[in-house]
Amino acid sequence: MSHNTYGHLYRVTSWGESHGPAIGCVVDGTPPGIRFSEAGIQSFLDKRRPGQSRFTTQRQEPDAVRILSGVMPGEVEGELISTGTPIAMEIQNVDQRSKDYSDIARRYRPGHADIAYDMKYGVRDYRGGGRSSARETATRVAAGALARLIVPGLKIRGALVRIGEIEIDRSRWDDAAIDANAFFCPDAETALLWEDYLDAIRKRGSSVGAVVEITATGVPAGLGAPVYAKLDQDIASNLMSINAVKGVEIGDGFASAMLSGEENADEIRIGADGKPEFLSNHAGGILGGISTGQPITARFAVKPTSSILTPKRSIDAAGQEVDVMTKGRHDPCVGIRAVPIGEAMVACAIADHYLRHRGQTGRG
Amino acid sequence: MSHNTYGHLYRVTSWGESHGPAIGCVVDGTPPGIRFSEAGIQSFLDKRRPGQSRFTTQRQEPDAVRILSGVMPGEVEGELISTGTPIAMEIQNVDQRSKDYSDIARRYRPGHADIAYDMKYGVRDYRGGGRSSARETATRVAAGALARLIVPGLKIRGALVRIGEIEIDRSRWDDAAIDANAFFCPDAETALLWEDYLDAIRKRGSSVGAVVEITATGVPAGLGAPVYAKLDQDIASNLMSINAVKGVEIGDGFASAMLSGEENADEIRIGADGKPEFLSNHAGGILGGISTGQPITARFAVKPTSSILTPKRSIDAAGQEVDVMTKGRHDPCVGIRAVPIGEAMVACAIADHYLRHRGQTGRG
Amino acid sequence: MSHNTYGHLYRVTSWGESHGPAIGCVVDGTPPGIRFSEAGIQSFLDKRRPGQSRFTTQRQEPDAVRILSGVMPGEVEGELISTGTPIAMEIQNVDQRSKDYSDIARRYRPGHADIAYDMKYGVRDYRGGGRSSARETATRVAAGALARLIVPGLKIRGALVRIGEIEIDRSRWDDAAIDANAFFCPDAETALLWEDYLDAIRKRGSSVGAVVEITATGVPAGLGAPVYAKLDQDIASNLMSINAVKGVEIGDGFASAMLSGEENADEIRIGADGKPEFLSNHAGGILGGISTGQPITARFAVKPTSSILTPKRSIDAAGQEVDVMTKGRHDPCVGIRAVPIGEAMVACAIADHYLRHRGQTGRG
Amino acid sequence: MSHNTYGHLYRVTSWGESHGPAIGCVVDGTPPGIRFSEAGIQSFLDKRRPGQSRFTTQRQEPDAVRILSGVMPGEVEGELISTGTPIAMEIQNVDQRSKDYSDIARRYRPGHADIAYDMKYGVRDYRGGGRSSARETATRVAAGALARLIVPGLKIRGALVRIGEIEIDRSRWDDAAIDANAFFCPDAETALLWEDYLDAIRKRGSSVGAVVEITATGVPAGLGAPVYAKLDQDIASNLMSINAVKGVEIGDGFASAMLSGEENADEIRIGADGKPEFLSNHAGGILGGISTGQPITARFAVKPTSSILTPKRSIDAAGQEVDVMTKGRHDPCVGIRAVPIGEAMVACAIADHYLRHRGQTGRG
């Protein structure tokens, strides 16, 4: 079954393909009285927009968002006030070039969703991958931009921590560096290495995977639930729904499998402000599915895109064995553009749980 | 908000704490006419049951499941036939020993959900961890045992592939070994190493993490959806809802971040049976959120339990700084018992998507 | 599809058949810190219990509720405090007499759900009607008893306003009368008429329909939503889910089809307390799907039960034409026992929307 | 909480206000391979469109629907094929005239949702009633037009059976008459009476209520569920979500409260085709929440609109007592345009249950 809605009180329904007239989403459950602007939402979309460096696809899309419902004009020019009713956001598709895809219309790219799509639906819009196109993620970024405003004090920051074989050096982490390179890389030196590394990959028409890390600060304690609807469960679910993601970690993640109980225990003292203060954060800000007030950290792995120049063995829709290669525009590392998308998906999960927690407990 | 239901057409609602009279679940959406027995469900629960070796908690629970609704007697003694209405399953709590927990009633174990629980609810049943007790997972195993029967030909097999610093050697993988040791270990030699390794950990009252791997074969192609409600997303969500899980991978998972597009491409030929045959399975049986018919592989990381003998710095519910250690029964590696739980959660996700796919497409 | 859960933040999942060992429900989403007792829940169940007068079925069920999870003991003997986790409630089935039903095991009672059940599922537990037995409604009353405690100041009161051809005289409405007769009748004179009327029906093994009216006071303004998730929509949905209900009205209901806009307008003034005061209540306390703070009024029609002594033409499961009559215990007017059930379903809808409103707006 | 989605497998999410740039809906869960056209959807919208006679609002809206996603072009000009992904449908708002509403911007019309809206959200878009405008219902008609195509053989037909004090004469029912007058009236003689009756109401700036009846034929047996998710429950919920609806009935509805069990029993024989044949249809095609294959009949009551010329006592948003009358365009009987809307909502409920039934049972 198709099911294109995520969230429970902050609910986002997404629609659209890369080669239709538009894509969009409906955000249901935004509290009334939230003040924002199209320009504010747009600033997040601009981070995800393709064609901003030679390291992402050269498809040119302005990705201009339009708010169609759920708002009133505010007192200030451009300001919008949410009314509590569904907020529809729409983005026109501009650069469609469907001719680029004619070669692969009926040939399955190995490692791509084409074949699974056909196995499921029997019919498929081959132009640009249909729903499995990364284009859909623009709507997530729009929904996430709004979600950030719902939880007072919430800050969410994503960064790329690995491209292929090259990981950042965490001792050089500098938040200020993240926006100063084409990779959302917090380590300026590694960013330089990545330039050469990715240039080589791009030139030979190849692609490579990546790891993204998201940190959320200002998350109130108490969000989530002890068994199901764990906050980390819903963050993981949201992140796994991003195209090409194959793994998700919270806090120490897979490394915690190698820890002892003593190492893993985040000790607690009373801080200068009289509140509990954790002395470490192996848990990634979530214990038993519930936020503790510490920063929440999540990482996810993005596989390399299957659109490559090297011919690979495959079949076509008629069941004939063929060799497949993808000409046209390529994204050598789709993980780069996944950074703002990951931020958005974490924001949506936190906003949703903030409203749910407030509903059940009356607090927050 | 509390939300203790998972699944959309195969829906499981779980309830109960380790120190109440019972735990249980309600399975809603089972097709009519499924034949099973209490004994069959019980055989899966027996795999998860504590106290079966010195490497798991010595809490003694018979974990006898009782089916309370949704069935008719079959023709054969003990056989039940599902009627299509909710199947309630209940397990009495027997070995409660609440005195063991008196020390920690008001003291927060570092790394444990106690403190987050209190931050959320303000009230907390300190006896045995309330809902965050691993005891709740017995209901998952019961629900999963039933889920396995819904998809014809489905087989699900879990194994422990890492304890702490010791990983299995995949070249020695032997399915037959899995049930021949106390660890669900597919590599008999590593199982021997683990015995000594865990004995040492157990004796010093410590604990250690682990990695579990689940493989599902016989999954029809076409389950899942291309964007949200991805099959891997729902598997990841289900696995992340298991206590102490901090990371989830599908297929190559985090390793795929290090692959090139050429390496990651699972090439396809036409097999002897005239059907598509994948030459590798980096994708873990799921492309673009949709099953391809290949085996589905998922791994998850389990952190070490926070119940350890070494005193750690913490605070109590009154806000006083204290040192905390956990006397009484311990589980040196909760990852062992997570194996049948992981199997069950994967089974539930697949059964749910099987029914959803059938609903939308009429196939399957 | 089977789907036995209602509510969104106050979620109730119901299970069980009349001829299994027990029935029950799981209430998910109760705020933490609600104080109640099994005896308090029981008092509502006692109102619905069969066998309390000659006008309801003589089946003898103690209907003793047991709370299995989601609570801690309070300071006072018998007091329970909700912990915020799922509250499982269970009621044993005692008086099952399955022999009574042997005659109708394979014969479809005209007007009864038997045949539809078989059309849907292919298998059916003929003993007592399976899920379509009115027995299931005991779990609703238990869930509703808890729901009443969630909204401060909420009062819900049901009454029977019509049995068959005899309607009450509203000018004689007296709340105090409701509990002083066997019919929940607010008009003592009509109650006397009903005694003779129903005795005659009962003696000839017949049955008759009824209309129930529910009034909720103390409902905060602002619950509901303007289009979907209207408060009246969810009340109607909950009431229509009760066995044998064929119609639901809010406020003036069907009579409002005969009104002019001038008549229907509930005029507003500022009351002595400085708050809006409505001068009439044609709307039944809900405008555009949202509560106004006025009393909420709902009515629902209950059809006569199909278990009657007069033979009627029908078929059996083998497709043979047969005549069917129902021996054994009868309920001449199932509408009587529907009164506490209707109260409960309205309580659940209001509690759910109270939590939802609080989640979205932070108020309430 | 706001919650603008209905349906479970055939899910519709609606958005938009009458005075924003557009309204629309996202239909999620349409099976792949359904063939339809914008023109086909449009033909249903045209039935609901305002300004088609002097008896409905003179607001001029072309209500031209645009399909934005979820489809491929078919072989025939204009034909679309559903791909199984979300189908977004959008309708531009053209005739907005916000000046008409300036008088009532801050004054609450008695009987209108304005005041409840403000009580809930604190902010409100006074232009045209925001979400509570009947304009939103265009999206329902679009979603319903698609829903009709999902169940093979399904036919849904609505009719107006009462305006104010004048009911149709059922002995004169003629399906062919329904489209031959401005009222969807199946009784040509009554339609003539209504003309004069409504003209008088319109001329004095008043309004009146109505009753709509919907009949669905070709509904497969077995849709629905025995307790919750009853088919009639979901039909009632859908109909109650339509603006101004105050009551819903299935089959004999409130009249069944006056029946005896003998009268209510729909007797069954084996028909000439060897299938069960019901000799009457008091149940309205649904027994115990499950369709029997008989025609499904539902009725709903629509109250008179509160936009009238006669001044009524009210208050304004500042809490001052005022008199309110509504100038500008009026709808003397909103019940007329409710006919195609009711048809659509019944279609959506049936399509949803058709997919759910197929999911759980594999049949249908």
Side-chain angles (χ1 to χ4, degrees):
Chain A
M1 191 201 73
S2 191
H3 192 311
N4 293 272
T5 298
Y6 50 99
H8 199 73
L9 288 202
Y10 185 79
R11 296 163 64 84
V12 183
T13 300
S14 148
W15 58 269
E17 287 89 16
S18 65
H19 282 69
I23 58 171
C25 66
V26 184
V27 179
D28 199 0
T30 308
I34 302 281
R35 285 161 193 272
F36 67 109
S37 66
E38 269 186 6
I41 304 288
Q42 189 63 49
S43 68
F44 286 96
L45 279 163
D46 289 345
K47 285 180 65 178
R48 191 211 71 101
R49 195 149 46 89
Q52 303 197 95
S53 81
R54 67 183 182 276
F55 304 113
T56 56
T57 177
Q58 293 308 300
R59 181 173 169 138
Q60 293 295 332
E61 288 285 0
D63 273 357
V65 70
R66 227 179 125 212
I67 313 285
L68 296 179
S69 66
V71 295
M72 293 194 69
E75 295 80 17
V76 181
E77 172 71 26
E79 188 188 52
L80 300 171
I81 303 171
S82 67
T83 59
T85 61
I87 297 176
M89 300 198 271
E90 195 169 297
I91 298 164
Q92 300 296 314
N93 288 328
V94 173
D95 180 13
Q96 302 183 12
R97 292 200 215 175
S98 54
K99 64 178 163 2
D100 280 355
Y101 291 90
S102 52
D103 275 4
I104 54 162
R106 311 300 295 162
R107 293 160 169 241
Y108 300 125
R109 282 163 280 179
H112 191 274
D114 294 343
I115 189 170
Y117 226 86
D118 264 4
M119 285 167 161
K120 180 174 192 70
Y121 295 117
V123 298
R124 174 173 59 91
D125 192 342
Y126 52 80
R127 298 166 301 173
R131 277 294 274 172
S132 53
S133 160
R135 177 127 193 79
E136 183 275 341
T137 56
T139 69
R140 303 168 183 245
V141 173
L146 194 53
R148 290 166 187 262
L149 304 175
I150 287 174
V151 185
L154 176 65
K155 286 223 171 89
I156 295 178
R157 174 77 270 196
L160 204 62
V161 297
R162 170 187 286 280
I163 293 184
E165 288 150 24
I166 308 176
E167 201 174 357
I168 62 159
D169 180 338
R170 285 180 175 271
S171 70
R172 292 194 300 250
W173 188 295
D174 174 14
D175 275 353
I178 295 174
D179 291 324
N181 58 68
F183 309 103
F184 304 108
C185 180
D187 166 7
E189 287 187 41
T190 296
L192 292 176
L193 297 178
W194 285 351
E195 285 204 19
D196 293 341
Y197 180 68
L198 260 195
D199 266 333
I201 287 167
R202 183 173 58 84
K203 280 170 188 162
R204 68 173 184 265
S206 182
S207 64
V208 72
V211 175
V212 177
E213 180 167 320
I214 311 287
T215 305
T217 55
V219 182
L223 310 195
V227 193
Y228 306 95
K230 283 182 150 93
L231 179 56
D232 38 357
Q233 174 188 5
D234 285 352
I235 287 173
S237 175
N238 274 9
L239 293 175
M240 285 294 289
S241 77
I242 300 174
N243 311 44
V245 172
K246 299 301 284 184
V248 178
E249 298 183 316
I250 304 293
D252 280 4
F254 277 87
S256 63
M258 282 167 271
L259 298 180
S260 69
E262 291 75 15
E263 292 163 331
N264 184 63
D266 296 317
E267 295 189 301
I268 319 170
R269 298 280 84 176
I270 296 296
D273 60 355
K275 292 185 182 164
E277 183 181 309
F278 291 86
L279 308 184
S280 57
N281 190 13
H282 297 284
I286 300 175
L287 284 171
I290 300 170
S291 64
T292 61
Q294 283 191 285
I296 289 177
T297 56
R299 264 178 312 284
F300 59 98
V302 184
K303 70 176 182 185
T305 176
S306 54
S307 295
I308 52 176
L309 271 177
T310 307
K312 301 294 284 185
R313 289 175 290 171
S314 186
I315 59 172
D316 63 17
Q320 297 304 306
E321 298 192 338
V322 292
D323 279 5
V324 174
M325 57 173 286
T326 313
K327 294 179 211 155
R329 298 170 298 204
H330 291 94
D331 233 341
C333 180
V334 290
I336 301 170
R337 291 171 59 212
V339 174
I341 303 164
E343 289 179 0
M345 294 312 284
V346 170
C348 288
I350 292 172
D352 184 37
H353 276 281
Y354 176 78
L355 300 180
R356 288 156 81 162
H357 178 65
R358 185 161 75 178
Q360 194 187 13
T361 68
R363 282 180 279 131
Chain B
M1 191 199 74
S2 190
H3 192 309
N4 293 272
T5 298
Y6 51 98
H8 198 72
L9 288 202
Y10 186 79
R11 297 163 63 84
V12 184
T13 299
S14 147
W15 58 269
E17 287 89 16
S18 66
H19 281 68
I23 59 173
C25 65
V26 184
V27 179
D28 200 359
T30 308
I34 302 281
R35 285 160 193 272
F36 67 109
S37 67
E38 268 186 7
I41 304 287
Q42 189 65 46
S43 68
F44 287 96
L45 279 162
D46 290 346
K47 284 180 65 177
R48 192 212 69 102
R49 195 149 45 89
Q52 303 197 96
S53 81
R54 66 185 183 276
F55 304 114
T56 56
T57 177
Q58 294 308 299
R59 180 173 171 140
Q60 292 295 333
E61 289 284 0
D63 274 358
V65 69
R66 231 181 122 211
I67 313 285
L68 297 178
S69 67
V71 293
M72 293 193 70
E75 295 79 20
V76 181
E77 172 72 27
E79 189 188 51
L80 300 171
I81 303 172
S82 66
T83 59
T85 62
I87 297 177
M89 300 197 270
E90 195 170 297
I91 299 164
Q92 301 296 313
N93 289 328
V94 174
D95 179 14
Q96 301 183 12
R97 296 201 212 172
S98 56
K99 64 181 166 353
D100 280 357
Y101 291 90
S102 54
D103 276 4
I104 54 160
R106 310 299 295 160
R107 292 160 169 241
Y108 300 125
R109 280 164 283 178
H112 191 275
D114 294 346
I115 190 169
Y117 226 87
D118 264 5
M119 285 168 162
K120 180 173 192 69
Y121 295 117
V123 298
R124 175 173 59 92
D125 192 342
Y126 53 80
R127 299 166 302 172
R131 277 294 275 172
S132 53
S133 160
R135 178 127 190 77
E136 183 274 341
T137 56
T139 70
R140 301 168 183 246
V141 174
L146 193 53
R148 290 166 187 262
L149 304 175
I150 287 174
V151 186
L154 177 66
K155 287 222 171 89
I156 295 177
R157 175 76 271 196
L160 205 61
V161 297
R162 172 187 284 281
I163 294 184
E165 288 149 22
I166 308 176
E167 202 175 356
I168 62 159
D169 179 338
R170 284 180 177 268
S171 70
R172 292 193 300 250
W173 188 295
D174 174 13
D175 274 353
I178 295 175
D179 290 324
N181 58 68
F183 308 105
F184 304 107
C185 181
D187 165 8
E189 287 187 43
T190 297
L192 291 176
L193 298 177
W194 284 352
E195 284 204 20
D196 293 341
Y197 180 67
L198 259 196
D199 265 333
I201 287 166
R202 183 174 57 83
K203 280 172 187 161
R204 67 173 186 266
S206 183
S207 64
V208 72
V211 175
V212 177
E213 181 168 320
I214 311 287
T215 304
T217 54
V219 182
L223 310 194
V227 192
Y228 307 95
K230 283 181 148 92
L231 179 57
D232 38 356
Q233 174 188 6
D234 284 352
I235 288 173
S237 175
N238 274 10
L239 293 175
M240 284 294 289
S241 78
I242 301 174
N243 312 45
V245 172
K246 300 300 284 183
V248 178
E249 297 183 317
I250 304 293
D252 280 3
F254 277 87
S256 62
M258 281 168 273
L259 297 180
S260 69
E262 290 76 16
E263 292 164 330
N264 184 64
D266 295 318
E267 294 189 299
I268 319 171
R269 297 279 85 175
I270 297 295
D273 59 356
K275 292 185 184 165
E277 183 181 307
F278 291 87
L279 307 184
S280 57
N281 191 11
H282 297 283
I286 301 175
L287 284 172
I290 300 170
S291 63
T292 61
Q294 283 194 284
I296 290 178
T297 56
R299 267 177 310 283
F300 59 98
V302 184
K303 69 176 182 182
T305 176
S306 55
S307 295
I308 51 175
L309 271 177
T310 308
K312 302 293 284 184
R313 291 175 289 173
S314 186
I315 60 173
D316 64 17
Q320 297 302 307
E321 297 190 339
V322 292
D323 279 5
V324 173
M325 57 174 286
T326 312
K327 294 180 212 156
R329 299 171 297 205
H330 291 93
D331 234 341
C333 180
V334 290
I336 301 170
R337 291 170 59 212
V339 174
I341 304 164
E343 289 179 359
M345 295 311 284
V346 170
C348 288
I350 292 172
D352 185 37
H353 276 281
Y354 176 78
L355 299 180
R356 289 157 80 162
H357 179 64
R358 185 162 74 178
Q360 194 186 12
T361 68
R363 283 179 279 131
Chain C
M1 191 200 75
S2 190
H3 192 309
N4 293 272
T5 297
Y6 50 99
H8 198 74
L9 287 202
Y10 185 80
R11 295 164 65 82
V12 183
T13 300
S14 149
W15 58 269
E17 286 89 16
S18 66
H19 282 69
I23 58 172
C25 65
V26 184
V27 179
D28 200 0
T30 309
I34 302 281
R35 285 159 193 273
F36 66 110
S37 66
E38 269 186 6
I41 304 288
Q42 189 63 48
S43 68
F44 286 96
L45 280 162
D46 290 346
K47 284 181 66 178
R48 191 212 71 102
R49 195 150 45 89
Q52 302 198 96
S53 81
R54 66 184 183 276
F55 304 113
T56 57
T57 177
Q58 293 307 300
R59 181 174 169 137
Q60 293 295 332
E61 287 286 0
D63 273 357
V65 69
R66 229 180 123 212
I67 313 284
L68 296 179
S69 67
V71 294
M72 294 193 68
E75 296 79 19
V76 181
E77 173 71 26
E79 187 188 53
L80 301 171
I81 303 173
S82 67
T83 59
T85 61
I87 297 176
M89 300 198 271
E90 195 169 297
I91 298 164
Q92 301 297 312
N93 288 328
V94 174
D95 180 13
Q96 302 183 12
R97 295 201 212 171
S98 54
K99 62 180 166 358
D100 280 355
Y101 291 89
S102 53
D103 276 3
I104 55 162
R106 311 300 295 161
R107 292 159 170 241
Y108 300 125
R109 282 164 280 179
H112 192 275
D114 294 345
I115 189 169
Y117 226 86
D118 264 5
M119 285 167 162
K120 180 174 192 69
Y121 295 118
V123 299
R124 176 173 58 92
D125 192 342
Y126 52 80
R127 299 166 301 172
R131 278 295 275 172
S132 52
S133 160
R135 178 125 192 79
E136 183 275 341
T137 57
T139 70
R140 303 168 182 246
V141 173
L146 193 53
R148 290 166 188 262
L149 304 174
I150 287 174
V151 185
L154 177 66
K155 287 222 171 89
I156 295 177
R157 174 77 270 197
L160 205 62
V161 298
R162 170 187 287 278
I163 292 185
E165 289 149 23
I166 308 176
E167 202 175 356
I168 62 159
D169 179 337
R170 286 180 174 269
S171 71
R172 294 194 298 251
W173 188 295
D174 174 14
D175 274 353
I178 295 174
D179 290 323
N181 57 68
F183 307 103
F184 304 109
C185 181
D187 166 8
E189 287 187 43
T190 297
L192 291 176
L193 297 177
W194 285 351
E195 284 204 20
D196 292 342
Y197 180 68
L198 259 196
D199 265 333
I201 286 167
R202 182 174 58 84
K203 281 170 188 162
R204 67 173 184 266
S206 183
S207 65
V208 72
V211 175
V212 177
E213 180 167 320
I214 311 287
T215 305
T217 55
V219 181
L223 309 194
V227 192
Y228 307 95
K230 283 181 149 93
L231 179 56
D232 37 358
Q233 174 188 6
D234 284 352
I235 288 174
S237 174
N238 275 9
L239 293 175
M240 284 294 288
S241 77
I242 300 174
N243 311 45
V245 172
K246 300 301 284 184
V248 178
E249 297 182 318
I250 303 293
D252 280 3
F254 277 87
S256 63
M258 281 167 273
L259 297 180
S260 68
E262 291 75 16
E263 292 163 330
N264 184 61
D266 296 317
E267 295 190 300
I268 318 169
R269 297 279 85 176
I270 296 296
D273 60 356
K275 292 186 182 164
E277 185 181 308
F278 291 86
L279 308 185
S280 57
N281 191 13
H282 296 283
I286 300 175
L287 284 171
I290 300 170
S291 63
T292 61
Q294 283 192 285
I296 289 177
T297 57
R299 264 177 312 282
F300 58 98
V302 184
K303 70 176 181 183
T305 176
S306 54
S307 295
I308 51 175
L309 272 177
T310 307
K312 301 294 283 185
R313 289 175 290 172
S314 186
I315 59 172
D316 64 18
Q320 297 303 308
E321 298 192 339
V322 292
D323 278 6
V324 173
M325 57 173 288
T326 312
K327 295 180 211 155
R329 298 170 300 204
H330 291 95
D331 233 341
C333 180
V334 289
I336 301 170
R337 291 170 61 212
V339 173
I341 303 163
E343 289 179 0
M345 294 312 283
V346 171
C348 287
I350 292 172
D352 185 37
H353 275 281
Y354 177 77
L355 300 181
R356 288 157 81 162
H357 178 65
R358 185 160 76 176
Q360 195 187 12
T361 68
R363 282 179 279 130
Chain D
M1 191 201 72
S2 190
H3 193 310
N4 293 272
T5 298
Y6 50 99
H8 198 72
L9 288 202
Y10 186 79
R11 297 163 65 83
V12 183
T13 299
S14 147
W15 58 268
E17 287 89 17
S18 66
H19 282 69
I23 58 173
C25 65
V26 184
V27 179
D28 200 359
T30 308
I34 302 282
R35 285 161 193 271
F36 66 109
S37 67
E38 269 185 6
I41 304 287
Q42 189 64 47
S43 67
F44 287 96
L45 279 162
D46 290 346
K47 284 180 66 177
R48 191 212 70 101
R49 196 150 46 88
Q52 303 196 96
S53 81
R54 66 185 184 275
F55 304 113
T56 57
T57 176
Q58 294 308 300
R59 180 175 170 136
Q60 292 296 333
E61 288 285 0
D63 274 357
V65 70
R66 230 181 123 211
I67 313 284
L68 297 178
S69 67
V71 293
M72 292 193 70
E75 295 79 19
V76 181
E77 172 72 27
E79 189 189 51
L80 301 172
I81 304 172
S82 67
T83 59
T85 62
I87 297 176
M89 299 198 270
E90 195 169 298
I91 299 164
Q92 301 297 313
N93 288 328
V94 174
D95 180 14
Q96 303 184 10
R97 294 201 214 171
S98 56
K99 63 180 165 3
D100 280 357
Y101 292 89
S102 53
D103 275 4
I104 54 162
R106 311 300 294 160
R107 293 161 169 240
Y108 300 126
R109 280 164 281 178
H112 191 274
D114 293 345
I115 190 169
Y117 226 86
D118 264 5
M119 284 168 161
K120 179 172 193 71
Y121 294 117
V123 298
R124 175 173 58 91
D125 192 342
Y126 51 80
R127 299 165 303 172
R131 277 294 274 172
S132 53
S133 160
R135 178 127 191 78
E136 183 274 340
T137 57
T139 71
R140 303 169 182 246
V141 173
L146 194 52
R148 291 166 187 261
L149 304 175
I150 287 175
V151 186
L154 176 66
K155 287 224 171 87
I156 296 177
R157 174 78 271 193
L160 205 62
V161 297
R162 171 187 285 281
I163 293 184
E165 288 149 24
I166 308 176
E167 203 174 356
I168 61 159
D169 180 338
R170 285 180 176 269
S171 70
R172 293 193 298 251
W173 188 296
D174 174 13
D175 273 354
I178 295 175
D179 291 323
N181 58 69
F183 308 104
F184 305 108
C185 181
D187 166 8
E189 288 187 41
T190 298
L192 292 176
L193 297 178
W194 285 351
E195 283 204 21
D196 293 341
Y197 180 67
L198 259 196
D199 265 333
I201 287 166
R202 184 174 57 84
K203 280 173 187 161
R204 67 174 185 265
S206 183
S207 64
V208 71
V211 175
V212 177
E213 181 168 319
I214 311 287
T215 304
T217 54
V219 182
L223 310 195
V227 193
Y228 307 95
K230 283 180 149 94
L231 179 57
D232 39 356
Q233 174 188 5
D234 285 352
I235 287 174
S237 175
N238 274 10
L239 293 176
M240 285 294 288
S241 77
I242 301 174
N243 311 45
V245 173
K246 300 302 282 183
V248 179
E249 297 182 318
I250 303 293
D252 280 3
F254 277 88
S256 62
M258 280 167 275
L259 298 180
S260 69
E262 290 76 13
E263 293 163 330
N264 183 63
D266 295 318
E267 294 188 300
I268 319 171
R269 298 278 87 176
I270 297 295
D273 59 355
K275 292 187 183 165
E277 184 181 307
F278 291 87
L279 307 184
S280 57
N281 191 11
H282 296 283
I286 301 175
L287 284 172
I290 299 169
S291 63
T292 60
Q294 283 192 284
I296 290 178
T297 56
R299 266 177 309 284
F300 58 97
V302 184
K303 69 177 183 183
T305 176
S306 55
S307 295
I308 50 175
L309 271 176
T310 307
K312 301 294 285 185
R313 290 174 290 173
S314 185
I315 61 173
D316 64 17
Q320 297 303 307
E321 298 190 338
V322 292
D323 278 5
V324 172
M325 58 173 286
T326 311
K327 293 179 213 155
R329 297 171 298 204
H330 290 94
D331 233 341
C333 180
V334 289
I336 301 170
R337 291 171 59 213
V339 174
I341 304 164
E343 288 179 0
M345 295 311 284
V346 170
C348 288
I350 292 172
D352 185 36
H353 275 281
Y354 176 77
L355 300 181
R356 289 156 81 162
H357 178 65
R358 185 162 75 178
Q360 195 186 12
T361 68
R363 282 181 279 132

